[in-house]
Amino acid sequence: MSVLQAYSSLSSSSPRATISHTLQLIAGAPPIDPPSCKTLIQLIIDDLQAVIIDGSPSRLIRDDALSAISAVKGLGKTPHGAQVLASVPNLKCLMTLAIKLETAPDASNEALKCVANTLLLSEPARTRLLSQEIDGGNICVDLLQKSATPESTFLSSRVLFLCTASSHQSFSFIESIVETKRTHFPGNGTILDVIAFKLDDLIASMQVGTKMSRDAMTDLLKFTFNLLVHYPKLAPSELQSPGIVCSPVDQKVMGDFWNSRLDAILPPLVRAFQAIPLSSPNPLTSPLTHIIHSLITIPVDASSRAVWFGTCPHSHSTTPQPSPPESTTSSSTGSSHDSQSTPKEPKARHIERAISSVISAGRRSFCCSPRSDSPSAADCASRAYELLDMTLAHFLPGDIDPDDPAVRDLCKIDGDTSLDEILCPLVLLITRFCLGDDDAKTRIRQWLVPENLDRTHPLEKRADLLGRCLRLLASVYHSTLKDAMGEMLYAMCDSNASSLAGYFGYGNVAGFLYHKGVVSAPPVSAASGAPPTTASGLPINPITGTVEHPSETVDMTDEEKEHEAEKLFVLFDRLEKTGALPPSQNPYRKAFQEGKMG
């Protein structure tokens, strides 16, 4: 007998043990044929509607709710099953079950898992859930506000994230929840106050290792990111740079516009950025990556300076020392897996557009109201610098070439990803710090290239953060990160080509400057701020950035001459790869083509 026949044969007078056994069989059954699957889902949903919502006779009783919803969840994990659950009546039934069964949290959560799986598999369901007939978005905001466990926070956040992932259909909902005061929340706050409250709760939960706290914060932040990206495009917002031109909503770039209604989200995001335990050996994992995604949408300016960087005086000379990360892993449970995988998020596209915007952003100054909430005592510049140092040390150990295949293999261990995806958001955040705050810019630059920097050896060969940053500027495989790193160093040097070349040596930044339109070494003057000599008074070579030794006539053996020629070949090859030298002007290529090198 099939599971459909077994369930259809049940009645309200069937033994409870038989009904319970049948529901367990359905939940654990292998996939069944689509017509039977659709019919069985609808039968169980109708019975749940009758007994829980309508109070009418049914095969089921209230105590069967958890087993019955679990059976629906298993059947709904296929596209044809999700198609049945995606109808307006069935979505409304599931959302009503989540509310009616709040006194039975497991059953209520199972109903939300069904909704989350359906939204993942059926994009039309996302629009339907936000319709006035269901009002699922506001129901989930209420459930998020009342959530008492990381699992319930995770599920309501997951549904809200999926609802707001489909841009145009969710715009009116996003506007509504950002602007509407919630009367049942202390202080009549908006959704941003609800998110802030939950973030602080989850920070504490993560610090003591509470199950599912990482997953909950990750999906809460995904939902937050959607609000921060889309709301400034919808409501009248402040331009963040004088050169920005107002564009249609779908062409506005993340970070180019800001609305003060969103100000309240910065303090809790900064607290989370500073306080959550780091994973090891790669600290840039969720939810930290999602915190960074949200932070790069927020302006760095005078009115928010105390929140970003604290109010205590900062030492320019003391380089932040990375603290060893805690060995933590994501503690997923069935909820994460029930909702399968998150749909491919458009964050990479938003971030790439933001990087392009930063290139021409310049330094910001605005007349906006002071950020609400008390200032943070923490320094985000120091934290971001430490994270960059730790992450690059993990992926680029020693003085390894970033294009070494071992680097790409290491990235794949953390998932099917790349250095571009892992590091670009953090590099962009540091760039925004440099563009938005002079003190942060000075401190970051002095940490990276302190006055007492050892310049007796090539800077690009150093086995530290400076060397890794410079080697990335010559990378072929990590093109997006290469560009982002160049912009970070450029912003760190007052967006001045002479200063950039003076600090790092023109040879190391020639490719980046070529793409900026600087085709020859710019003069390094005192006005550029770059040091002409080391702390001990030795002159610095403007091409290499290292100590310039008096030239001496040295007799070389043929082997030594050949070695020097190889070094020149590598240098010209690197300049050609980075675009600083056109192939037609490479003397070695010319010599090969003309047959002068056999």
Side-chain angles (χ1 to χ4, degrees):
M1 182 185 295
S2 70
V3 288
L4 174 59
Q5 292 171 325
Y7 188 80
S8 299
S9 66
L10 299 174
S11 68
S12 58
S13 59
S14 297
R16 305 319 310 163
T18 303
I19 293 175
S20 177
H21 178 67
T22 303
L23 290 172
Q24 289 175 11
L25 284 177
I26 296 171
I32 61 178
D33 62 279
S36 298
C37 177
K38 292 180 178 181
T39 302
L40 184 53
I41 287 176
Q42 197 58 60
L43 281 173
I44 301 175
I45 285 287
D46 289 345
D47 283 338
L48 285 166
Q49 171 82 28
V51 68
I52 304 296
I53 300 172
D54 299 337
S56 56
S58 164
R59 296 177 180 84
L60 308 175
I61 61 173
R62 189 179 183 88
D63 289 345
D64 296 323
L66 176 58
S67 297
I69 298 173
S70 294
V72 169
K73 182 187 71 180
L75 295 168
K77 287 183 178 180
T78 60
H80 47 268
Q83 185 180 358
V84 177
L85 294 177
S87 70
V88 170
N90 288 344
L91 284 173
K92 185 174 183 178
C93 174
L94 289 169
M95 291 306 302
T96 305
L97 289 172
I99 299 171
K100 293 275 188 180
L101 296 170
E102 281 185 288
T103 54
D106 289 344
S108 177
N109 286 343
E110 266 323 76
L112 285 178
K113 292 174 192 176
C114 291
V115 174
N117 286 337
T118 303
L119 299 184
L120 184 65
L121 295 171
S122 172
E123 189 161 338
R126 303 174 191 178
T127 305
R128 292 170 192 159
L129 194 76
L130 296 178
S131 65
Q132 288 186 345
E133 189 172 354
I134 302 176
D135 198 25
N138 282 310
I139 291 173
C140 276
V141 171
D142 289 337
L143 291 173
L144 174 63
Q145 182 178 322
K146 293 185 286 186
S147 62
T149 65
E151 183 178 13
S152 56
T153 299
F154 164 74
L155 290 168
S156 50
S157 298
R158 168 59 64 97
V159 173
L160 287 166
F161 157 63
L162 291 169
C163 282
T164 53
S166 300
S167 305
H168 291 284
Q169 293 81 357
S170 63
F171 280 173
S172 59
F173 172 66
I174 289 174
E175 281 191 278
S176 171
I177 59 174
V178 170
E179 297 173 4
T180 301
K181 300 285 187 179
R182 309 198 67 78
T183 54
H184 299 296
F185 189 78
N188 292 340
T190 67
I191 183 61
L192 297 169
D193 299 291
V194 175
I195 292 171
F197 183 78
K198 292 301 170 185
L199 279 175
D200 285 337
D201 267 358
L202 290 170
I203 291 170
S205 296
M206 284 184 62
Q207 289 174 336
V208 297
T210 303
K211 191 178 183 181
M212 285 214 67
S213 54
R214 280 183 173 270
D215 295 324
M217 183 177 283
T218 295
D219 275 67
L220 181 61
L221 289 164
K222 290 177 183 177
F223 168 51
T224 304
F225 179 81
N226 287 348
L227 299 182
L228 297 179
V229 166
H230 295 307
Y231 184 75
K233 302 175 184 177
L234 305 173
S237 301
E238 299 169 347
L239 294 176
Q240 300 302 290
S241 179
I244 296 172
V245 178
C246 287
S247 308
V249 168
D250 57 354
Q251 295 179 18
K252 289 182 177 179
V253 179
M254 178 184 75
D256 279 356
F257 297 83
W258 185 252
N259 187 287
S260 58
R261 287 182 183 271
L262 303 173
D263 285 350
I265 199 62
L266 179 58
L269 284 174
V270 167
R271 289 193 290 271
F273 184 59
Q274 296 285 350
I276 67 167
L278 301 180
S279 59
S280 178
N282 171 25
L284 285 188
T285 58
S286 61
L288 179 58
T289 50
H290 297 285
I291 296 172
I292 294 170
H293 291 158
S294 291
L295 286 175
I296 59 179
T297 69
I298 303 175
V300 179
D301 55 33
S303 63
S304 61
R305 188 186 186 285
V307 182
W308 282 112
F309 309 116
T311 54
C312 300
H314 298 292
S315 170
H316 288 183
S317 57
T318 305
T319 305
Q321 296 299 316
S323 54
E326 298 179 20
S327 180
T328 55
T329 55
S330 180
S331 52
S332 312
T333 69
S335 301
S336 300
H337 301 297
D338 289 332
S339 294
Q340 299 178 25
S341 59
T342 299
K344 189 66 177 178
E345 301 169 52
K347 284 183 183 172
R349 175 171 54 83
H350 286 303
I351 291 167
E352 284 180 7
R353 292 175 68 188
I355 290 173
S356 299
S357 176
V358 163
I359 292 174
S360 57
R363 196 171 286 106
R364 297 186 174 94
S365 60
F366 311 108
C367 298
C368 51
S369 57
R371 304 277 183 241
S372 60
D373 227 319
S374 57
S376 165
D379 178 17
C380 287
S382 176
R383 176 72 157 179
Y385 186 91
E386 291 172 10
L387 290 171
L388 182 63
D389 193 6
M390 293 165 63
T391 308
L392 281 178
H394 168 60
F395 287 105
L396 303 177
D399 61 354
I400 191 172
D401 186 329
D403 290 338
D404 191 302
V407 175
R408 299 194 292 281
D409 292 340
L410 191 56
C411 290
K412 290 176 182 175
I413 294 175
D414 283 0
D416 187 15
T417 186
S418 67
L419 276 186
D420 286 347
E421 294 179 7
I422 295 168
L423 276 159
C424 277
L426 178 60
V427 172
L428 177 57
L429 180 63
I430 296 174
T431 304
R432 294 174 82 88
F433 289 161
C434 293
L435 291 172
D437 187 82
D438 284 340
D439 180 70
K441 173 185 63 182
T442 302
R443 287 186 292 120
I444 293 169
R445 184 177 65 231
Q446 291 188 359
W447 293 333
L448 189 65
V449 278
E451 293 178 5
N452 61 350
L453 177 68
D454 180 7
R455 292 181 178 267
T456 57
H457 301 286
L459 301 184
E460 71 277 9
K461 292 184 178 180
R462 294 170 63 93
D464 61 5
L465 179 58
L466 173 58
R468 295 176 182 115
C469 290
L470 295 180
R471 287 194 292 280
L472 279 166
L473 294 183
S475 173
V476 174
Y477 284 101
H478 313 293
S479 57
T480 305
L481 179 57
K482 176 181 74 173
D483 293 342
M485 188 64 71
E487 292 298 336
M488 184 191 81
L489 298 178
Y490 189 60
M492 194 184 299
C493 295
D494 303 312
S495 302
N496 182 286
S498 295
S499 179
L500 182 69
Y503 277 105
F504 302 106
Y506 175 69
N508 288 316
V509 298
F512 173 77
L513 290 177
Y514 178 81
H515 291 291
K516 285 280 189 185
V518 181
V519 295
S520 61
V524 178
S525 62
S528 70
T533 64
T534 65
S536 59
L538 295 175
I540 297 174
N541 186 309
I543 302 300
T544 64
T546 57
V547 171
E548 188 168 32
H549 297 286
S551 57
E552 299 178 4
T553 303
V554 180
D555 291 329
M556 291 191 291
T557 64
D558 289 341
E559 287 184 359
E560 289 171 334
K561 290 177 181 178
E562 185 176 339
H563 179 64
E564 290 301 315
E566 288 176 356
K567 286 167 63 178
L568 283 172
F569 174 81
V570 170
L571 175 61
F572 283 118
D573 183 60
R574 177 183 292 176
L575 289 172
E576 184 178 317
K577 284 180 179 178
T578 58
L581 182 71
S584 60
Q585 294 181 21
N586 186 333
Y588 277 82
R589 185 178 293 278
K590 280 184 180 180
F592 275 119
Q593 292 171 346
E594 294 171 4
K596 294 179 181 178
M597 298 181 70

